[in-house]
Amino acid sequence: MADVKTANLQTALAALDQISQNEKSGFISLVSRHLSGEAEQIEWSKIQTPTDEVVVPYDTLASPPEDIEATKKLLNKLAVLKLNGGLGTTMGCTGPKSVIEVRNGFTFLDLIVIQIESLNKKYGCDVPLLLMNSFNTHDDTQKIVEKYANSNIKIHTFNQSQYPRLVVEDFMPLPSKGQSGKDGWYPPGHGDVFPSLMNSGKLDALLSQGKEYIFVANSDNLGAIVDLKILNHLIHNQNEYCMEVTPKTLADVKGGTLISYEGRVQIVVSMYIKNQVETLAYTCAISPRSFLRLHKFLMLIWVNLKAIKRLVEADALKMEIIPNPKEVDGVKVLQLETAAGAAIRFFGHAIGINVPRSRFLPVKATSDLLLVQSDLYTLVDGFVIRNKARTNLENPSIELGPEFKKVASFLGHFKSIPSIVELDSLKVSGDVWFGAGIVLKGNVSITAKSGVKLEIPDRAVLENKVINGPEDI
């Protein structure tokens, strides 16, 4: 049955001229693996918490060379790649998410360019920036990068693969059913970064320029900056793959968990939810306390370019397949995706580095935008620096209602962003408007009654307050 489905799929794909032969081959391979049901069965009793040799504490890394020439030599072996395939639609914006303004009029992409440009200028090095786009973001990105033509940085763009969505009913490509628009296609997850680098020719180009490592991160993670200590460690120890991790908490339900398994480091994706911690920890023969010391994968990876070439050419990167069901115009479809973190077990001498959580500063919603636009951070040479006046190592918990979901609406509700250096938590519900110069401290909850506009006056100081109307301010 699986062979029949694959054969029919190959015939249908042959008639689609929107994608390359490499993309067709990659898609057929992914579908074939999915239909075969191949999946490595993990024996939970063999799971171990990684040791410091496998997940290296950041504080134990040697300092990078202080000599500028030595640092230049180090950086000249590096390229930076930002995943740029996502749209800003969930935050009410059009075009690539990387062009949303995050601070002082600068977009994510502006800050990335400024950061790398400042490195190149300071050390006289040549660190290039690569943007992996999707078919959703390619055209807009090509126009946007023109503004950096005079920058001290080489910017290269390429597209990740474009695969057809599968109709669940008969496992045929949605585009062959008459869905000729973008809804018939999908980008197959960031695990596709390795073959796409190879197929685009960018991998060979980087190798010809003497590059050895590539640092890969999401474009919306403001904490994902080049770290010389990490780069120095990897080059010195010849690690083929490094995953940045941070200790998991009960709040970290999504994402992968780094484990030691039969002498190798690997990632297990979405392996537990909050109320299953004790059960799973028992099954894994480790205590719940130890289980929670397992590590959260931050989608910050450093990979040796020659190793990528070797493994892609050997078709050895058989990462776990993530089935992602969707619905398009009432038709149930399936997307098969892979994650870049799952590739760790295929690389030699792979490690994790247990980094400070400050390297994980993603902006996924306007609540994150409030954090990075506030006095909790300042901007220096494109780098978002945390305010040292904040004594609590954790960032405040911020929960904003649907009135604040879109960026334009969010900005319209604030005359200026409040001071939150001493804030622990903020919950806002309803049509709440903030004046200028407001200070929030401790735990603050503000609720506007349905149909009522609640205004917080200029220069108000709210500390450990529950506000349900003007009389509570």
Side-chain angles (χ1 to χ4, degrees), residues 11 80 113 135 144 154 199 269 290 387 402 412 471:
T11 302
V80 174
V113 169
F135 60 88
I144 292 160
K154 293 172 185 170
N199 295 336
V269 180
S290 295
N387 191 335
E471 65 281 357

Side-chain angles (χ1 to χ4, degrees), residues 340-351:
I344 189 170
R345 63 193 178 96
F346 300 103
F347 288 85
H349 200 190
I351 62 168

Side-chain angles (χ1 to χ4, degrees), residues 326-342:
K326 300 273 185 180
E327 194 168 301
V328 178
D329 296 332
V331 178
K332 288 186 179 353
V333 297
L334 185 65
Q335 299 180 181
L336 301 177
E337 304 172 8
T338 59

Side-chain angles (χ1 to χ4, degrees), residues 66 71 84 87 97 108 115 191 207 217 228 233 239 241 244 248 304 330 332 339 350 362 374 381 404 432 465:
E66 293 182 7
T71 304
N84 190 52
L87 294 169
K97 186 179 180 184
F108 289 108
Q115 288 167 10
L207 287 169
L228 288 170
H233 182 87
N239 302 105
Y241 186 112
E244 293 190 43
K248 258 186 181 289
N304 181 277
K332 288 186 179 353
S374 74
D381 293 333
F404 295 80
V432 179
K465 286 224 171 192

Side-chain angles (χ1 to χ4, degrees), residues 33-45:
R33 288 204 296 128
H34 174 69
L35 290 173
S36 72
E38 71 165 61
E40 181 182 353
Q41 297 300 313
I42 290 178
E43 293 182 40
W44 299 112
S45 61

Side-chain angles (χ1 to χ4, degrees), residues 2 11 21 43 56 82 134 151 158 173 209 229 257 273 359 365-366 389 395 416 424 451:
T11 302
Q21 192 55 51
E43 293 182 40
V56 182
K82 297 290 182 173
S134 68
S151 300
F158 67 100
Q209 295 160 17
K229 281 179 70 172
T257 295
I273 56 177
R359 289 187 59 75
T366 52
N395 274 347
S416 68
D424 293 320

Side-chain angles (χ1 to χ4, degrees), residues 12-177:
L13 279 179
L16 299 176
D17 58 5
Q18 297 98 320
I19 57 176
S20 68
Q21 192 55 51
N22 277 336
E23 287 170 310
K24 291 175 182 178
S25 300
F27 182 62
I28 286 294
S29 174
L30 196 63
V31 172
S32 299
R33 288 204 296 128
H34 174 69
L35 290 173
S36 72
E38 71 165 61
E40 181 182 353
Q41 297 300 313
I42 290 178
E43 293 182 40
W44 299 112
S45 61
K46 293 183 178 179
I47 291 178
Q48 295 180 321
T49 302
T51 63
D52 285 356
E53 287 75 37
V54 175
V55 178
V56 182
Y58 181 81
D59 291 343
T60 67
L61 300 182
S63 297
E66 293 182 7
D67 179 68
I68 286 186
E69 276 303 310
T71 304
K72 175 182 176 179
K73 187 177 178 182
L74 203 64
L75 285 167
N76 276 336
K77 296 179 179 180
L78 179 70
V80 174
L81 189 155
K82 297 290 182 173
L83 304 175
N84 190 52
L87 294 169
T89 47
T90 56
M91 294 174 70
C93 300
T94 57
K97 186 179 180 184
S98 59
V99 299
I100 293 175
E101 289 188 5
V102 287
R103 177 103 193 192
N104 298 6
F106 292 112
T107 67
F108 289 108
L109 198 49
D110 290 337
L111 295 179
I112 292 165
V113 169
I114 293 168
Q115 288 167 10
I116 299 175
E117 193 176 29
S118 67
L119 275 179
N120 287 340
K121 183 178 179 181
K122 181 176 181 179
Y123 296 104
C125 55
D126 179 22
V127 178
L129 170 65
L130 288 85
L131 300 173
M132 186 172 84
N133 305 319
S134 68
F135 60 88
N136 288 315
T137 61
H138 173 74
D139 291 344
D140 286 337
T141 301
Q142 292 300 95
K143 296 171 189 172
I144 292 160
V145 295
E146 290 176 5
K147 69 187 267 193
Y148 307 116
N150 297 321
S151 300
N152 183 25
I153 176 175
K154 293 172 185 170
I155 301 177
H156 308 279
T157 65
F158 67 100
N159 273 18
Q160 74 173 113
S161 301
Q162 177 177 332
Y163 286 173
R165 285 172 164 158
L166 288 168
V167 177
V168 171
E169 185 181 20
D170 58 7
F171 240 64
M172 294 294 281
L174 187 58
S176 66
K177 305 264 187 168

Side-chain angles (χ1 to χ4, degrees), residues 145-299:
V145 295
E146 290 176 5
K147 69 187 267 193
Y148 307 116
N150 297 321
S151 300
N152 183 25
I153 176 175
K154 293 172 185 170
I155 301 177
H156 308 279
T157 65
F158 67 100
N159 273 18
Q160 74 173 113
S161 301
Q162 177 177 332
Y163 286 173
R165 285 172 164 158
L166 288 168
V167 177
V168 171
E169 185 181 20
D170 58 7
F171 240 64
M172 294 294 281
L174 187 58
S176 66
K177 305 264 187 168
Q179 178 56 265
S180 58
K182 287 186 175 181
D183 284 347
W185 305 88
Y186 75 99
H190 46 57
D192 182 60
V193 65
F194 306 115
S196 291
L197 256 179
M198 183 80 170
N199 295 336
S200 67
K202 301 301 181 188
L203 180 57
D204 284 333
L206 290 172
L207 287 169
S208 71
Q209 295 160 17
K211 305 303 177 187
E212 295 182 16
Y213 282 87
I214 194 158
F215 172 47
V216 183
N218 285 319
S219 61
D220 66 0
N221 182 1
L222 297 174
I225 60 176
V226 171
D227 188 291
L228 288 170
K229 281 179 70 172
I230 294 176
L231 179 61
N232 183 56
H233 182 87
L234 300 182
I235 291 175
H236 184 263
N237 291 281
Q238 291 297 293
N239 302 105
E240 287 191 348
Y241 186 112
C242 168
M243 172 188 292
E244 293 190 43
V245 298
T246 199
K248 258 186 181 289
T249 68
L250 278 171
D252 294 319
V253 179
K254 290 185 178 181
T257 295
L258 202 63
I259 61 170
S260 282
Y261 187 77
E262 295 188 326
R264 292 184 71 86
V265 60
Q266 69 182 69
I267 193 167
V268 179
V269 180
S270 301
M271 62 186 284
Y272 72 93
I273 56 177
K274 289 182 185 179
N275 62 355
Q276 290 180 327
V277 170
E278 290 198 16
T279 304
L280 186 53
Y282 176 78
T283 309
C284 296
I286 56 179
S287 72
R289 186 181 296 274
S290 295
F291 187 80
L292 287 175
R293 285 202 296 270
L294 295 179
H295 300 89
K296 174 183 175 66
F297 166 44
L298 301 182
M299 193 44 224

